[in-house]
Amino acid sequence: MTTFEKVYEAVKSIPEGSVATYGQVAEAIGSRRLSRVVGYALHVNPEPGVIPCHRVVKKDGEVSGAFAFGGGRRQAELLREEGVGFVDETHVDMERYRVPFLPLV
DNA sequence: AACCTGACTCGCC
DNA sequence: AGGCGAGCCAGGT
């Protein structure tokens, strides 16, 4: 199991209607320091449509600027459709929609 | 094979 | 409070 695969497993485990931060995903796969690697893993996203990378946001809930399917704007739309609330155009309401605990895979 | 870079986060100045 | 460097992994040059 490579680090990237762990990242994908963790991201897939994020329940619909919720979001997780890069830090949470990193923590779930071993170390918080891997947060950067998490970003890169999603960057090279080998399974578009399978890995819900739109449910991963920065620690303060802001969506990533460089997004695979059309920008953070698009990511925000997908999340809203799942019922995730936003405090503004680019920030998810973390207090209510961030997963309390990301299952360790 | 070494070096650079990239969807991040945290600690120190 | 804002900026800078460090730590982590994989793939391309």
Side-chain angles (χ1 to χ4, degrees):
Chain A
M1 178 73 78
T2 69
T3 304
F4 273 33
E5 289 173 343
K6 289 181 185 173
V7 172
Y8 303 137
E9 291 305 307
V11 173
K12 287 185 204 168
S13 74
I14 302 173
E16 186 177 313
S18 302
V19 299
T21 67
Y22 288 92
Q24 279 184 291
V25 176
E27 207 166 58
I29 66 175
S31 166
R32 169 172 302 173
R33 294 279 165 61
L34 295 172
S35 58
R36 192 175 184 175
V37 181
V38 173
Y40 191 59
L42 297 181
H43 169 71
V44 294
N45 193 354
E47 305 179 77
V50 179
I51 301 170
C53 38
H54 58 278
R55 300 198 187 123
V56 185
V57 297
K58 295 192 192 178
K59 65 173 169 34
D60 53 358
E62 180 179 15
V63 299
S64 300
F67 208 62
F69 3 62
R73 172 86 182 91
R74 176 60 182 152
Q75 177 175 14
E77 283 181 32
L78 293 172
L79 290 176
R80 262 191 274 256
E81 283 179 38
E82 293 187 358
V84 175
F86 282 70
V87 294
D88 71 36
E89 194 62 29
T90 55
H91 292 68
V92 171
D93 183 346
M94 297 306 277
E95 295 305 304
R96 294 160 55 75
Y97 302 99
R98 196 198 79 228
V99 292
F101 171 71
L102 194 59
L104 275 51
V105 289

